[in-house]
Amino acid sequence: MSIEVKQIPCLDDNYGFLVHDVESGATASIDTPEAEAINAALVEQGWTLTHIFNTHHHFDHAGGNEALKEQWGCQIIGAANDAHRIPGIDQQVVEGDVVELGATRVRVLEVPGHTLGHIAYYFEQDQVAFVGDTLFALGCGRMFEGTAAQMWHSLEKLMNLPDETVVYCAHEYTQANAAFAVTVEPDNEALQARAEEIARLRYEGIPTVPTSIGLERQTNPFVRPTSSNLQKTIDLVGADPVAIFAETRKRKDHF
Ligand code: ZN
Ligand code: FE
C-alpha cells in the first residue's frame, strides 16, 4: 500500500476520510463534513493537510472546505460541473482526469444522480474508491438532481471496478439499508447473512464502512437488476435494468 486511510466519524452519520500518501506525506481529506473532527484526526496522525477532494457540493461534504483551507492553505479539487457551488475550489476536474496526491495517481469518475456534479475518486494502484453519496453499503444515494437512468449508469460504472476494490461511502446507513434490502430480495442468502453480521457490528458500535465492489455485487439490490428474486418481488420480471433500478429506488424512498 502506498496510501493509508483514516476514517473519521462526523456529524450524525457521516464519515470523513483522510488519505495519506506515505512516500511524499501529502494528505487529502475526502470531503469535509466537519472541520473540527478532521483537524483532530490530522493532529492525532501527525499529518499535514495538502488537499481536499470533494465528491459533491452538499453541506455535509463541503461544509468544512473554507475553514480547512484557511488553516492549511490546501488545494481544493472538485467537479467542473459543480465549480460554482464548491466553496474554495482551486482545480476543476472531469471524467477520466488523473489527480496526483504525491506519488499516488487518483482517477476521477463522474457519477451523477444524487447530484448532477457528483464525482468519485478511484485510487487504482491501491484498489480503493471514495464514492461519496452515490453507492452505499447495501444502498445508493437518493436522486436529488439526476434521473434514474443517470444514477443507474453511475452505479454500473462503479460496479465495473474490480471486485476487490475497497469502497468508502460517506454515510453509515447500512443497517437501515439492510432492513429494506431483505424485503426486495428475500431469497438472497448472502444478503441475509450480511444483514445479520451488520446487526451484530452496529450493536457493538463498529462501522460497516468500508465495503467492497464484490460484496455489493452479491448483496446490494440496487446493483442487482438481473436478480430473478428481485424482479419477481417488485413485479418487473424481464424489465430493463433502469426500470428495475428506478422501481427499487422508489420503494426505498417510501420504505
Ligand atoms: Zn449528499
Ligand atoms: Fe451526504
Side-chain angles (χ1 to χ4, degrees):
M1 280 282 271
S2 60
I3 58 166
E4 281 176 38
V5 178
K6 169 80 182 165
Q7 183 165 323
I8 310 155
C10 291
L11 306 174
D12 287 339
D13 51 30
N14 279 79
Y15 289 120
F17 306 98
L18 292 174
V19 184
H20 182 68
D21 177 62
V22 176
E23 206 183 301
S24 67
T27 303
S29 184
I30 309 295
D31 287 332
T32 58
E34 201 181 348
E36 255 173 60
I38 292 164
N39 267 326
L42 285 162
V43 169
E44 190 192 309
Q45 300 294 315
W47 293 345
T48 299
L49 189 68
T50 55
H51 295 78
I52 291 168
F53 292 175
N54 282 124
T55 63
H56 64 297
H57 74 280
H58 284 159
F59 185 76
D60 62 318
H61 297 261
N65 275 21
E66 278 164 332
L68 288 167
K69 186 174 182 175
E70 196 176 303
Q71 183 170 350
W72 299 91
C74 54
Q75 178 93 358
I76 300 183
I77 292 161
N81 285 335
D82 258 355
H84 60 288
R85 51 186 185 176
I86 303 256
I89 189 168
D90 296 296
Q91 188 184 344
Q92 302 181 19
V93 293
V94 298
E95 172 74 24
D97 278 356
V98 172
V99 173
E100 280 172 8
L101 180 67
T104 299
R105 292 162 62 81
V106 189
R107 190 140 59 87
V108 173
L109 307 174
E110 289 182 349
V111 285
H114 176 68
T115 68
L116 290 175
H118 200 302
I119 55 177
Y121 295 92
Y122 178 44
F123 290 66
E124 193 160 11
Q125 293 153 291
D126 304 270
Q127 299 211 307
V128 169
F130 294 89
V131 299
D133 288 354
T134 298
L135 174 67
F136 293 123
L138 290 182
C140 72
R142 280 176 190 268
M143 294 169 315
F144 287 118
E145 297 176 8
T147 63
Q150 277 176 321
M151 190 67 167
W152 167 249
H153 291 301
S154 295
L155 292 170
E156 212 179 15
K157 190 184 284 185
L158 294 175
M159 286 303 120
N160 282 331
L161 300 177
D163 275 350
E164 306 72 46
T165 309
V166 175
V167 176
Y168 289 93
C169 14
H171 290 270
E172 180 60 63
Y173 288 159
T174 317
Q175 196 162 13
N177 289 342
F180 169 74
V182 297
T183 67
V184 287
E185 211 185 357
D187 295 346
N188 182 338
E189 282 173 20
L191 170 58
Q192 282 167 18
R194 189 178 179 197
E196 281 168 31
E197 170 72 0
I198 286 159
R200 186 186 67 76
L201 290 171
R202 294 313 295 153
Y203 181 75
E204 293 175 15
I206 299 169
T208 63
V209 174
T211 177
S212 72
I213 292 296
L215 187 54
E216 295 313 311
R217 213 197 288 283
Q218 287 172 15
T219 55
N220 183 335
F222 295 96
V223 296
R224 294 174 51 77
T226 56
S227 156
S228 55
N229 185 213
L230 171 66
Q231 291 184 3
K232 236 180 261 167
T233 311
I234 66 171
D235 260 325
L236 282 176
V237 174
D240 78 272
V242 173
I244 293 168
F245 167 74
E247 176 63 19
T248 309
R249 182 62 258 182
K250 198 170 113 198
R251 288 186 183 220
K252 174 68 164 66
D253 289 341
H254 299 115
F255 183 66

